[in-house]
Amino acid sequence: MKKVTVSSLLKMKADNEKIAALTAYDASFAKLFDEQNVDVLLIGDSLGMVLKGEDSTLGVSIDEIAYHTKCVANGVSRAFVVADMPFMSYASAQQAYSQAAVLMRAGASMVKLEGGDWLLDTISGLVQRSVPVCGHLGLTPQSVNVLGGFKVQGRSDEQANRLLADAKALEQAGVQMLVLECVPSSLAKRISETLSIPVIGIGAGVDTDGQILVMHDMLGISANYMPKFSKNYLSETGDIRGAVASYIAEVKAGLFPSSEHGFN
């Protein structure tokens, strides 16, 4: 199987082929997911919650992300590897450049940043310096204290128009993929149809170009709770490989997420 690249992800969008993504944090799971032909693996700052047992992502450091990125990259031969830039690791453009370099050297093929128009110059600078960037809009977990909790974003017309404008601006600045988290399904569809880059949803309905779940949620083993937008595939299959294969197949067929996993 050919290695997934930015170009092949763009072609998948153009060909209306759904993109299946999961988080991963170590070589063993990365290899297992890769063997099932997952398209994208994200080393998420979700590790703060699912690996460290914290109540937010804010305590994750760049060194922790780099360590887990190296582990995941060592287990992958096909999947595209994306690494989260953790909280306050890109507060300035210069800081973003140096911290992104750490993650690229660890094995990432792209870094992910949370935020809208305040990031445009930073994104342009990263791309100019040969660092591919994934954006992240909607519910941005690093902003949980500003948002007042883990809440659906974009329900009012004003919020929806702001998210659409931010998505367009991020694409113009150079992001080559966008994650939309916990936004109404109709808004996610609108944004996905507007952008030429792949839009990956989590709690954003079935009409995005692909889906991502935290692996612990997909397997039903998260320590805290099961999000509304997730599905326990392990309970249906009784086997981890079968669970991963079923998740990927349902994403590819447009069967996941169903309406029960989305927001109005």
Side-chain angles (χ1 to χ4, degrees), residues 250-261:
E250 288 198 355
V251 169
K252 295 288 186 181
L255 299 176
F256 177 82
S258 65
S259 58
E260 69 184 275
H261 302 113

Side-chain angles (χ1 to χ4, degrees), residues 81-138:
V81 176
V82 183
D84 263 343
M85 298 277 286
F87 178 65
M88 292 299 287
S89 65
Y90 48 100
S92 68
Q94 288 299 324
Q95 184 187 28
Y97 304 157
S98 62
Q99 301 292 271
V102 172
L103 300 183
M104 297 294 285
R105 291 187 185 112
S109 294
M110 177 179 277
V111 299
K112 181 168 75 65
L113 291 73
E114 297 181 9
D117 57 6
W118 68 274
L119 278 173
L120 300 182
D121 289 342
T122 296
I123 289 167
S124 296
L126 284 167
V127 174
Q128 289 167 2
R129 288 159 177 80
S130 303
V131 179
V133 178
C134 176
H136 185 150
L137 293 173

Side-chain angles (χ1 to χ4, degrees), residues 1 11 19 29 50 70 82 90 111 123 135 140-141 149 228 260:
M1 301 291 290
K11 187 176 187 302
I19 297 166
F29 274 106
V50 297
K70 184 173 179 60
V82 183
Y90 48 100
V111 299
I123 289 167
T140 48
K228 169 184 166 63
E260 69 184 275

Side-chain angles (χ1 to χ4, degrees), residues 12-100:
M12 290 173 73
K13 174 170 177 118
D15 293 343
N16 293 314
E17 178 184 351
K18 295 285 190 179
I19 297 166
L22 283 167
T23 66
Y25 313 95
D26 65 35
S28 295
F29 274 106
K31 184 174 187 294
L32 187 154
F33 298 163
D34 196 59
E35 289 171 346
Q36 298 303 319
N37 292 325
V38 73
D39 300 308
V40 176
L41 289 177
L42 169 69
I43 299 85
D45 58 5
S46 51
L47 70 86
M49 302 175 78
V50 297
L51 297 189
K52 299 171 65 181
E54 298 172 351
D55 61 3
S56 77
T57 65
L58 304 187
V60 177
S61 70
I62 195 75
D63 290 339
E64 288 171 327
I65 294 286
Y67 170 82
H68 289 281
T69 297
K70 184 173 179 60
C71 293
V72 168
N74 286 342
V76 163
S77 60
R78 175 184 177 272
F80 189 73
V81 176
V82 183
D84 263 343
M85 298 277 286
F87 178 65
M88 292 299 287
S89 65
Y90 48 100
S92 68
Q94 288 299 324
Q95 184 187 28
Y97 304 157
S98 62
Q99 301 292 271

Side-chain angles (χ1 to χ4, degrees), residues 179-222:
V179 169
L180 278 182
E181 181 168 359
C182 289
V183 301
S185 300
S186 58
L187 173 60
K189 182 176 188 291
R190 184 180 171 197
I191 291 173
S192 300
E193 291 174 346
T194 300
L195 302 188
S196 60
I197 59 173
V199 176
I200 310 299
I202 177 167
V206 72
D207 293 311
T208 54
D209 303 304
Q211 301 294 327
I212 187 167
L213 286 178
V214 172
M215 57 166 279
H216 295 71
D217 293 340
M218 184 272 297
L219 296 173
I221 58 174
S222 289

